[in-house]
Amino acid sequence: MGESAKEALVFRTQKIMREQKMAEEGTGILAAVSGGADSLCLLDLLDALRKTAHFPLRAVHVHHEIRKSADRDAALAEAFCRKRDIPCSILRVDVPAYAKEHRLGLEEAARILRYEALESEAEDWEREAPGLAVRIALAHHLEDQAETVLFHIARGSGIAGLAGMRYVSGRKIRPLLDVSRGEIEACLLEDGIAWAEDETNADVSYARNRIRLRILPEMVQEINAGSVRHLAALSSEAGEMEDYLQEETRKALLRVLREDGGIDLGKFREEPELLQKRIVFAVLAEHAGQKKDLTREHVQGVLALAARGGSARIDLPCQLQAAKRYDALYFVKRGEKLPEGPLPVPEREEDYAVRVFPFSGRMADIPQKKYTKWFDYDKISSAFSFRRRRPGDMITIEMAPRTEDGSLQPSRKKSIKKFMIDVRMPAQVRDRILLPVCGSEVLWVPGFRCSAAYLVSEETKRIMEISTDGGEDGGYDHNTDSTGES
């Protein structure tokens, strides 16, 4: 005589729970029981398994205050648990009020409040029994998984959405994820267990119901009888891929994150495009505190910002902005100033702005900004250009005063190589930074010093202003005085 439907399902559930480490030693299981077929079957299986696996079992029924039959479902769940000596809590949540307050659909509001109630009950149990790790058992099954994958595809999801629901997600466990609805009902009928039907499940105004009642049956009947299992298999493969990519993204984040919380764009551009997208999404989701309102368009907008020269901001959901300051990208609240961080590195001529204009003669007009400097234009020859450092480049540290007979003493100069080492400029920056030079004389090392040979004086007639936009207002360089010297 062959094994019964119940015996087969107990064996499969036990195997999945063991493989997925759902009920290891020190684990308590809190089962969500609605009174429907899926949750009653799961609770019945867990009741059978706890006798050999030795885990404590409790149940929770969340009353949504929506349907007239909700009291009937609560009573059914409570009676089922009482018969099997399973502690059961009935938790009431006001879904219509919450949906109205937060401008959500009833389906979404119910999901949020249901998980909040389950999480709260699990935390209470852990406080009651120190050392116990409580898992929340959910009765999602094979068709639920297929439905979820289609729902995510329709909403424009990526690989994470294709992965659908996981066997284990945080404290949530889903032992029936590869079990079909038909197998669940066969098990209940064999055991003579009656279940409640949620009348809202037939309401096709809900997106998931339309998928379950119309789209999936059409796929099974008209396209491929194995459509449901194929979607679940796709979900499993996508889950493995997502796990791998999450780990690669984590490693990439460690490579590109700066100490001030920004993204180092030089290192960021060295990452594959796929990881660039995932890095942006991961950091954005962390700052937003959610993923729900974040789309491919937002990620693409941030990537376009990162590719631009200069500094700029773009608006994002959740009152966030992505802000670029040359070689760094930040996510901040709208209007929030960027953190004080290491000097942005201008690497292209487009990263500088130059203009020439008459000098007013007022020394007080000289800007005191870290990223904007004035030079005496008439002292600058046609050899002016922007380039990277070369052997032999110098910077004038101090102009020697005239002697009593009017002759000039040699000015104090320093090789640009020694200067960069002395100011502890990072080695990786020294060859990247683009400098304004006149012949072999460096006019300015942004953030550190201007050449004393080209400083503005009261005799200056024309000004050459050079700026490299390092922030919203350029900031004040506390290491530079009004003449531009460090």
Side-chain angles (χ1 to χ4, degrees), residues 225-278:
S227 293
V228 170
R229 289 208 173 271
H230 294 163
L231 284 167
L234 172 64
S235 170
S236 179
E237 291 180 12
E240 293 174 355
M241 186 183 301
E242 177 63 18
D243 289 344
Y244 171 78
L245 289 174
Q246 280 186 6
E247 178 60 18
E248 291 303 303
T249 303
R250 185 191 67 80
K251 293 176 183 176
L253 271 169
L254 293 177
R255 292 192 290 267
V256 305
L257 281 180
R258 295 160 48 126
E259 290 183 1
D260 61 2
I263 292 175
D264 184 313
L265 289 177
K267 296 177 181 177
F268 177 77
R269 295 186 188 104
E270 295 173 359
E271 299 293 337
E273 185 177 346
L274 173 61
L275 287 182
Q276 289 183 16
K277 294 175 183 177
R278 292 182 65 91

Side-chain angles (χ1 to χ4, degrees), residues 335-346:
E336 180 183 345
K337 293 198 72 172
L338 300 185
E340 289 293 332
L343 174 75
V345 180

Side-chain angles (χ1 to χ4, degrees), residues 373-375 395-397 442-445 448-453 455 480 483-486:
K373 298 300 176 188
W374 283 8
F375 303 91
I395 187 167
T396 301
I397 303 301
V442 175
L443 272 68
W444 177 30
V445 181
F448 295 99
R449 177 182 287 277
C450 294
S451 168
L455 297 178
T480 306
T483 65
E485 289 191 83
S486 296

Side-chain angles (χ1 to χ4, degrees), residues 53-73:
H54 307 295
F55 54 79
L57 177 64
R58 292 185 181 183
V60 173
H61 175 86
V62 181
H63 192 306
H64 295 121
E65 303 281 0
I66 300 177
R67 298 175 290 112
K68 293 180 180 179
S69 59
D71 290 337
R72 174 209 65 189
D73 295 350

Side-chain angles (χ1 to χ4, degrees), residues 342-343 414 416-430 445-448:
L343 174 75
K414 187 179 286 190
I416 198 65
K417 177 180 179 179
K418 187 174 188 311
F419 174 79
M420 287 179 169
I421 292 172
D422 288 348
V423 299
R424 299 181 180 178
M425 180 181 284
Q428 66 270 28
V429 173
R430 297 174 203 163
V445 181
F448 295 99

